[in-house]
């Protein structure tokens, strides 16, 4: 059995993607279901550092991540509140209030992931971004969360209309986690650019 990292998250969609992405680096991923009390902050890095602080005493590498959809047309909303907004407006409701709020506003969108890895008591952060636009109506049934309304730059389909491999190629999580994968293979300075 190859090397393994524990991933502390309660989101099964994230777990599936993190597994697929790190498998390409020869790393296995074990779930570590953890309920975090997230600090009230508008900063993904601060959320990730707070998650890592809870886990630092565990042995072996432990991974967390926090993601958000930032809409410049709505002043950056929902951003760090993405999980809460998905809970009340997502799923079968199709994010209708969010789509309505965007009518007449710029539809550009940035999906951002900050991944945090703690190894031997030291924390490392890695950032990944995917730029794109918000679709006028939800499309597709793949992925999770905001995938039916996010179209990455240069594409016509939403993340939810793509295969998992295709989404990972363009996604914020794919970009952040490939940095984690490279770091796990050859630890050096973390790439948190
Ligand atoms: P954790 O246990 O890992 O914290 P979470 O779902 O609470 O899981 P976040 O706070 O990072 O995680 O949630 C951000 C929200 O954005 C949440 O509703 C996700 O479903 C959504 N989201 C995150 N990554 C996404 C992706 O790749 N595609 C679509 N929606 C995504």
């Amino acid at each position: 059995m190859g090397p393994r990292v524990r991933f502390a998250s309660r989101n099964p969609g994230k777990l599936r993607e993190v597994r697929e992405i790190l498998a390409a680096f020869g790393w296995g991923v074990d779930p570590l279901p953890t309920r975090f009390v997230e600090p009230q902050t508008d900063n993904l890095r601060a959320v990730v550092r707070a998650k890592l602080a809870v886990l630092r005493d565990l042995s072996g590498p432990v991974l967390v991540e926090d993601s958000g959809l930032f809409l410049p047309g709505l002043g950056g909303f929902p951003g760090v509140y993405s999980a809460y907004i998905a809970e009340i407006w997502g799923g079968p409701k199709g994010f209708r209030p969010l789509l309505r709020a965007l009518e007449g506003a710029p539809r550009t969108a940035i999906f951002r992931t900050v991944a945090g890895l703690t190894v031997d008591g030291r924390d490392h952060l890695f950032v990944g971004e995917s730029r794109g636009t918000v679709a006028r109506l939800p499309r597709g049934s793949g992925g999770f969360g905001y995938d039916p309304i996010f179209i990455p730059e240069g594409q016509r389909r939403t993340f939810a209309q793509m295969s998992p491999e295709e989404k990972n190629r363009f996604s914020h999580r794919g970009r952040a986690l490939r940095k984690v994968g490279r770091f796990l293979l050859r630890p050096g300075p973390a790439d948190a650019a």
Side-chain angles (χ1 to χ4, degrees):
M1 200 163 76
R4 305 194 71 82
V5 58
R6 286 190 282 180
F7 179 47
S9 169
R10 287 168 22 100
N11 183 321
K14 287 186 180 182
L15 174 64
R16 197 175 52 238
E17 292 181 5
V18 167
R19 273 208 169 120
E20 285 161 3
I21 298 160
L22 290 186
F25 294 86
W27 276 73
V29 178
D30 296 316
L32 182 66
T34 311
R35 184 189 281 278
F36 295 104
V37 178
E38 296 189 3
Q40 296 301 303
T41 162
D42 61 356
N43 184 313
L44 290 181
R45 283 168 194 265
V47 176
V48 167
R49 287 195 188 282
K51 286 182 170 183
L52 288 175
V54 176
L55 303 166
R56 198 167 302 124
D57 293 337
L58 297 178
S59 65
V62 179
L63 180 66
V64 299
E65 67 111 281
D66 212 67
S67 301
L69 180 66
F70 295 79
L71 304 178
L74 299 181
F77 187 77
V80 289
Y81 308 108
S82 295
Y84 175 65
I85 293 302
E87 211 170 287
I88 57 171
W89 288 348
K93 297 189 204 102
F95 292 103
R96 226 164 293 147
L98 194 67
L99 296 177
R100 212 169 300 133
L102 267 182
E103 279 168 21
R107 307 192 72 83
T108 52
I110 304 160
F111 237 133
R112 199 170 283 136
T113 291
V114 178
L117 185 69
T118 177
V119 193
D120 301 330
R122 296 185 69 171
D123 296 346
H124 309 272
L125 300 195
F126 307 82
V127 180
E129 267 187 15
S130 180
R131 287 169 182 270
T133 53
V134 176
R136 297 205 173 266
L137 289 171
R139 280 188 268 133
S141 55
F144 65 98
Y146 295 83
D147 284 346
I149 61 165
F150 184 83
I151 305 171
E153 217 166 54
Q155 303 295 311
R156 305 173 74 113
R157 287 167 303 146
T158 66
F159 273 159
Q161 292 176 298
M162 296 182 176
S163 67
E165 299 73 31
E166 219 174 346
K167 177 186 169 186
N168 289 341
R169 195 171 338 133
F170 299 117
S171 81
H172 44 300
R173 181 164 300 101
R175 293 188 170 129
L177 268 294
R178 283 191 287 276
K179 291 179 184 176
V180 172
R182 288 193 285 272
F183 179 87
L184 285 169
L185 289 184
R186 210 155 57 83
D191 183 353

